[in-house]
């Protein structure tokens, strides 16, 4: 088992592992991206990780402040309620969200909103890379407890 930093976690888990999973299991990739968005928001906000009152704030902050995700600003409430909460609490998106394979034009003004995994993943990666850049520049200093144990299959 090796210890990893927040930057390595973003690169190896949020980008690489979700990236490989999106091809074979796109539905599950949406779950992980939804949770990953909240993770990125908590990094920029520097808020307690397990505070039960902060998930909506962290999720919406990531949507509103990070390149890639900020294209979803107008629907941040829907994404939180119907994507993040729907998937992570009920294993189903809410009625305002449809999830799709591949790539297509996302029309964010129509209901239900159709999200396509390739588009959504690309936008998520842009947000991840923005956070990595902020870590590298010293704008974000992940707390010491961000060192987590990841078991490698290597």
């Amino acid at each position: 088992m090796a210890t990893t930093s927040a930057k390595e976690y973003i690169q190896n888990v949020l980008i690489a592992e979700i990236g490989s999973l999106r091809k074979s299991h796109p539905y599950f990739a949406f779950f992980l991206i939804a949770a990953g968005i909240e993770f990125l928001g908590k990094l920029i906000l520097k808020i307690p990780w397990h505070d039960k009152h902060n998930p909506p704030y962290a999720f919406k902050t990531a949507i509103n402040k990070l390149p890639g995700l900020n294209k979803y600003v107008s629907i941040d409430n829907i994404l939180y309620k119907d994507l993040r909460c729907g998937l992570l609490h009920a294993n189903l998106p809410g009625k305002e969200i449809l999830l799709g394979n591949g790539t297509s034009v996302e029309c964010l003004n129509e209901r239900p909103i159709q999200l396509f995994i390739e588009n959504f993943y690309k936008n998520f990666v842009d947000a991840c890379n923005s956070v990595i850049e902020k870590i590298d520049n010293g704008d974000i200093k992940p707390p010491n407890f961000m060192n987590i144990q990841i078991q490698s299959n290597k």
Side-chain angles (χ1 to χ4, degrees):
M1 226 183 259
T3 301
T4 189
S5 67
K7 179 180 172 178
E8 291 169 331
Y9 179 81
I10 292 169
Q11 291 169 326
N12 298 331
V13 177
L14 296 184
I15 295 174
E17 289 189 22
I18 293 174
S20 63
L21 184 69
R22 79 184 193 280
K23 298 285 187 193
S24 58
H25 300 286
Y27 189 70
F28 293 117
F30 278 109
F31 282 72
L32 298 173
I33 292 171
I37 291 170
E38 184 177 326
F39 175 86
L40 297 176
K42 287 184 177 191
L43 275 177
I44 25 183
L45 288 169
K46 304 171 190 147
I47 58 178
W49 291 100
H50 300 290
D51 185 332
K52 295 176 186 167
H53 305 289
N54 285 324
Y57 182 53
F59 184 92
K60 292 175 187 178
T61 297
I63 296 287
N64 284 273
K65 293 192 175 190
L66 294 175
L69 295 176
N70 61 8
K71 76 176 275 181
Y72 303 108
V73 167
S74 65
I75 59 166
D76 65 347
N77 287 321
I78 294 170
L79 286 179
Y80 180 76
K81 181 176 74 71
D82 285 5
L83 179 74
R84 187 262 185 213
C85 293
L87 289 177
L88 299 180
H89 294 292
N91 281 335
L92 295 169
K95 63 181 168 50
E96 298 286 330
I97 299 278
L98 288 175
L99 304 178
N101 272 344
T103 305
S104 190
V105 176
E106 296 174 333
C107 185
L108 305 179
N109 297 325
E110 295 178 9
R111 300 296 180 266
I113 297 160
Q114 190 164 11
L115 299 174
F116 294 91
I117 191 59
E118 293 301 325
N119 305 44
F120 202 56
Y121 173 73
K122 182 207 171 296
N123 296 327
F124 177 66
V125 169
D126 289 346
C128 287
N129 286 327
S130 174
V131 170
I132 289 170
E133 185 177 313
K134 291 176 187 302
I135 292 170
D136 288 344
N137 293 340
D139 298 333
I140 295 175
K141 295 176 177 64
N144 290 335
F145 67 84
M146 268 308 305
N147 289 331
I148 56 172
Q149 300 292 317
I150 306 260
Q151 184 155 359
S152 175
N153 291 335
K154 297 177 185 175

